[in-house]
Amino acid sequence: MRAIKISEDLRPLSDMKARPNDVVTQARDSGRPVVLTRYGKGVAVLLSVESYEELQVSAARLRLIAALREAEKAVEEGDVYDQRAMNELFERLEEER
């Protein structure tokens, strides 16, 4: 997703009623979010489907990176279990059910 251009990508909310196709076309063709405003303040953001999908992929990657960093930290701190210990833990949990 491309960075927003304040001079072009702020639109009054009334544009969604008066010219919805123009607003949607702008978001789709520019690849940038369109910020809808009411009384000069942002109230909503319109993204193209492609931009939204990119955002979802980026968020998933960030979650994966955070999980990997957490796992690396656990390994560095010695907070790990071998496979045998994990199997024993799962067996005890099953027995407690």
Side-chain angles (χ1 to χ4, degrees), residues 28-94:
R28 186 192 64 220
D29 292 351
S30 72
R32 298 185 311 264
V34 174
V35 178
L36 301 172
T37 63
R38 181 185 303 144
Y39 307 116
K41 296 186 183 223
V43 293
V45 176
L46 179 71
L47 299 172
S48 67
V49 170
E50 293 80 12
S51 293
Y52 179 76
E53 289 171 344
E54 285 177 29
L55 189 61
Q56 294 296 342
V57 168
S58 295
R61 285 182 181 149
L62 289 174
R63 286 191 299 274
L64 178 59
I65 289 168
L68 289 171
R69 286 184 178 152
E70 188 176 322
E72 287 174 342
K73 182 180 176 188
V75 169
E76 288 173 5
E77 294 174 354
D79 189 15
V80 295
Y81 299 91
D82 63 20
Q83 186 65 45
R84 189 183 73 214
M86 291 302 296
N87 288 341
E88 290 173 5
L89 175 62
F90 287 132
E91 287 174 12
R92 280 192 305 231
L93 290 172
E94 281 294 317

